[in-house]
Amino acid sequence: MSRPSYRAWFVWQRDGDVFLRLWRSEAAGFLGEPLFVLAAMGFGLGAYIGQVNGQSYLSFIAPGIIAAYAMFGASFECTYGSFIRMEVQRTFEAIIATPLEVEDVIAGEILWGATRALLSAMALLVVLAVFGLVASPWAVLVPVAAVFTGFAFASISMVFTAIVPGINTFNYYFTLFITPMSFFSGVFFPLSGLPKVVQWLAWALPLTHGVNVVRAALRGAATWGLLVDVVWLGVVGAVAFWLALVLMRRRLIK
Amino acid sequence: MASIVEARGLLKKFGPLVAVAGIDFAVEAGTCFGFLGPNGAGKTSTMRMVCCQSPLTAGQLYVSGLDVRTQGRAIKALLGVVPQENNLDPDFTVLHNLVVYARYFEMPPDTARRRAYEVLDLFHLREKAHSPVRDLSGGMKRRLVLARGLLHEPRILVLDEPTTGLDPQGRHMVWQKLRQLREQGTTVLLSTQNMEEAARLCDWLVIMHQGRILAQGSPADLVREHVGSQVVEVPADAAPAIVGQLSRGDATWEEVEDTVYVFARDREALHRTIGLVPGATYRPATLEDVFLHLTGRGLTE
Ligand SMILES: Nc1ncnc2c1ncn2[C@@H]1O[C@H](COP(=O)(O)OP(=O)(O)OP(=O)(O)O)[C@@H](O)[C@H]1O
Ligand SMILES: [Mg+2]
């Protein structure tokens, strides 16, 4: 295995170029859908719920939605997106005929996945700010949380992409891992109401920590404790990143 | 002259399957070196090892004096690679495919654009510069892959069946460009199944079969050594009599289905052995005769 180099940025740029060409058609995914969910849940369900932890339901779920869509953005990019580039378009094969190695390609793809998470979070943050849902300057932590959440999920997704036999297998990844995660990470309800065992399990989920940071940031309730969340996301991300490099080399270099 | 690519005992296995069976070859700088072989002969496997995209199972392989095992990045910077299967980026236009590819070689953006237009001109693709790749015909896509391989002015070109999918005009155009590049000192390594391509383009040919090199030499020498200069194809009805005569003489011959192929050094030798056979076809020997003679006439896969 060779170490990823600065050349990973060329792959990041390539993916960025595609995004700049196509972002209008993708905006529905990274902006439209979360806003629909937010409006439906926040206003529809919020009318029956009243307050959660001293906030309106809309204010409570807004940060959760930001973190969850950072996760979705990075995950889609590094599963379906990367798989199509790898197997259908043979883009990876074309790139590794140049001075880039597999590790550069995968690192670039993961960085781009994290960037997608960041873009999605920033777009939502701007919309929320317009509607007066961003109360504190601590909101500057939102991009940090988005990048770390994005990095963790882009890496985890890439591990999966390295081992799937075909594109349909991603259905399992999303229905058994990503979607459940969005329900047990404090996006839609506080974890404190769950049984202790489930709370412990939920704590291990990376998304829980992304949600924690974004929520604290939007409320202006930042504490040093948030560092633990960020470090945990970093550790999960780093382990998955390394594993993704190893498994991708094994898959692509025969 | 020093060898620019040198392989010793080059072995490639995929599990139990031996794709390249410990071959030796040396490519001289500034020449065109061809791998000729039927499907599954191991041409692509060999070229992928040269391109540092596939690790060797055993043996040694040096490109421009660098070891492919340890100096992949440096070697790949010298190579222009045209893979057997097109792998253009369908998300981009023709021009942007080249611009993005140039970035991988760390070309400055203005150089990249200049070179991109140069190679587009070379392969008559300039008017398509702003078309999406998916709108190109198969032949245009192939030419674009060739153009992409030349973008960074590589010293060594590695072309895996470069002209498959091209019409005769396109093929001749590409041959002419490749000859031109070789004149300018570029080394060309190519694989092909096209005898005309091999004969017209290559200074040195190796004929591969089942992972082994069966013969090598210049195209003309290969023909002379392995089949002589004349071939007679004798049809079924005249065959039995001829076979009787041949088994007493010293010509090389081969019976395939209902035709007998007789190979001879020259016309006189041929006339002495079988004389003029009614209904037989007399023609000069070609590389195709060598190929079929050495690799057999059945399907190999
Ligand atoms: N990735 C791989 N995994 C397993 N076997 C492989 C792989 N690549 C090639 N082979 C096998 O290695 C042998 C040589 O294949 P190779 O592609 O090198 O042949 P080739 O001479 O390029 O043939 P063609 O003219 O059909 O392109 C074949 O038997 C092929 O099935
Ligand atoms: Mg091949």
Side-chain angles (χ1 to χ4, degrees):
Chain A
M1 186 176 134
S2 73
R3 216 175 300 161
S5 69
Y6 66 91
R7 296 172 185 85
W9 287 110
F10 306 145
V11 177
W12 180 87
Q13 272 181 292
R14 181 235 161 253
D15 290 344
D17 287 357
V18 178
F19 181 77
L20 286 179
R21 274 172 46 80
L22 303 175
W23 70 271
R24 286 175 207 80
S25 57
E26 298 202 8
F30 72 84
L31 196 56
E33 189 184 304
L35 289 177
F36 278 125
V37 174
L38 192 61
M41 304 287 263
F43 296 119
L45 200 55
Y48 294 91
I49 289 176
Q51 301 235 309
V52 179
N53 290 352
Q55 290 180 291
S56 73
Y57 188 59
L58 184 65
S59 310
F60 176 79
I61 58 169
I65 298 283
I66 290 184
Y69 276 85
M71 169 182 81
F72 284 129
S75 301
F76 276 109
E77 192 62 40
C78 291
T79 51
Y80 292 104
S82 295
F83 188 86
I84 288 171
R85 288 190 281 277
M86 172 170 73
E87 295 284 335
V88 183
Q89 303 182 182
R90 297 164 160 274
T91 307
F92 293 4
E93 177 194 86
I95 300 175
I96 60 177
T98 72
L100 279 78
E101 296 288 331
V102 172
E103 288 77 10
D104 301 321
V105 176
I106 302 308
E109 290 275 306
I110 289 173
L111 287 173
W112 175 250
T115 306
R116 281 301 295 262
L118 176 65
L119 290 171
S120 142
M122 294 311 286
L124 283 172
L125 189 65
V126 168
V127 174
L128 293 184
V130 168
F131 286 95
L133 288 166
V134 180
S136 155
W138 281 110
V140 296
L141 286 184
V142 172
V144 178
V147 166
F148 274 82
T149 305
F151 173 65
F153 281 99
S155 301
I156 294 169
S157 300
M158 196 58 88
V159 169
F160 206 72
T161 303
I163 57 178
V164 290
I167 201 163
N168 292 328
T169 315
F170 289 130
N171 293 342
Y172 292 104
Y173 180 66
F174 282 95
T175 54
L176 300 179
F177 183 68
I178 294 291
T179 306
M181 177 131 25
S182 67
F183 289 115
F184 289 96
S185 300
V187 175
F188 297 107
F189 50 85
L191 294 172
S192 52
L194 295 170
K196 266 279 172 293
V197 186
V198 182
Q199 281 191 39
W200 276 108
L201 289 176
W203 194 91
L205 300 178
L207 183 58
T208 303
H209 302 277
V211 173
N212 269 353
V213 180
V214 180
R215 185 162 287 142
L218 290 194
R219 281 187 95 167
T223 64
W224 288 110
L226 296 182
L227 268 182
V228 175
D229 294 304
V230 172
V231 167
W232 178 242
L233 283 170
V235 167
V236 170
V239 171
F241 180 79
W242 173 80
L243 198 58
L245 296 187
V246 171
L247 293 174
M248 273 295 185
R249 173 160 284 268
R250 197 171 295 171
R251 178 175 187 133
L252 293 174
I253 303 299
K254 292 220 175 85
Chain B
M1 265 274 247
S3 304
I4 195 159
V5 179
E6 201 169 348
R8 281 194 295 270
L10 188 62
L11 179 72
K12 181 72 198 182
K13 284 187 176 180
F14 294 104
L17 186 138
V18 179
V20 180
I23 61 174
D24 303 300
F25 62 86
V27 181
E28 277 185 21
T31 63
C32 179
F33 186 100
F35 294 96
L36 189 60
N39 292 137
K43 304 181 295 294
T44 298
S45 303
T46 304
M47 300 185 100
R48 285 175 52 84
M49 287 190 278
V50 173
C51 296
C52 312
Q53 289 185 53
S54 168
L56 324 191
T57 307
Q60 288 166 326
L61 183 54
Y62 292 89
V63 178
S64 195
L66 305 169
D67 188 341
V68 295
R69 288 174 193 269
T70 53
Q71 290 172 291
R73 283 192 204 273
I75 292 173
K76 290 194 290 180
L78 304 174
L79 300 181
V81 179
V82 173
Q84 185 167 359
E85 310 271 352
N86 293 345
N87 52 18
L88 294 163
D89 208 322
D91 291 322
F92 297 131
T93 62
V94 167
L95 180 65
H96 207 65
N97 257 276
L98 299 176
V99 170
V100 169
Y101 202 72
R103 265 202 306 250
Y104 303 137
F105 290 93
E106 301 179 47
M107 246 188 250
D110 44 338
T111 316
R113 285 184 78 82
R114 178 178 56 76
R115 276 299 296 161
Y117 278 112
E118 279 172 17
V119 293
L120 288 179
D121 279 338
L122 199 61
F123 290 100
H124 305 298
L125 286 166
R126 185 189 266 262
E127 59 279 22
K128 292 286 173 188
H130 300 289
S131 307
V133 155
R134 51 181 108 237
D135 292 354
L136 300 185
S137 73
M140 285 178 185
K141 284 188 187 137
R142 195 61 184 159
R143 267 145 56 199
L144 182 55
V145 177
L146 282 155
R148 189 184 65 180
L150 295 181
L151 192 63
H152 60 293
E153 303 182 84
R155 284 178 48 204
I156 307 169
L157 277 175
V158 185
L159 317 172
D160 199 352
E161 304 193 19
T163 57
T164 37
L166 293 183
D167 57 21
Q169 288 87 340
R171 216 157 41 225
H172 281 272
M173 189 257 280
V174 169
W175 290 341
Q176 185 228 325
K177 306 294 177 201
L178 291 178
R179 271 196 298 264
Q180 214 170 308
L181 283 162
R182 188 193 46 187
E183 306 298 287
Q184 292 159 10
T186 308
T187 307
V188 182
L189 228 75
L190 66 82
S191 79
T192 184
Q193 320 231 17
N194 182 317
M195 303 303 146
E196 195 187 351
E197 180 162 285
R200 279 168 176 261
L201 221 50
C202 295
D203 304 299
W204 194 262
L205 269 178
V206 302
I207 297 183
M208 282 187 84
H209 186 40
Q210 296 174 343
R212 295 175 194 287
I213 293 178
L214 300 183
Q216 54 182 308
S218 71
D221 286 347
L222 282 171
V223 175
R224 203 162 28 243
E225 279 167 35
H226 294 275
V227 292
S229 75
Q230 289 291 314
V231 178
V232 187
E233 293 181 23
V234 183
D237 48 355
I242 296 297
V243 172
Q245 266 174 289
L246 282 169
S247 44
R248 289 189 295 276
D250 61 352
T252 322
W253 55 284
E254 204 175 356
E255 228 181 320
V256 183
E257 313 250 318
D258 59 354
T259 309
V260 176
Y261 292 81
V262 185
F263 306 113
R265 236 164 299 113
D266 49 54
R267 255 173 206 287
E268 288 76 59
L270 200 63
H271 283 291
R272 274 199 306 279
T273 325
I274 57 171
L276 264 179
V277 182
T281 313
Y282 291 72
R283 58 173 176 79
T286 65
L287 204 50
E288 185 145 345
D289 295 309
V290 182
F291 184 84
L292 292 172
H293 180 64
L294 290 175
T295 61
R297 286 172 194 263
L299 273 184
T300 54
E301 267 189 342

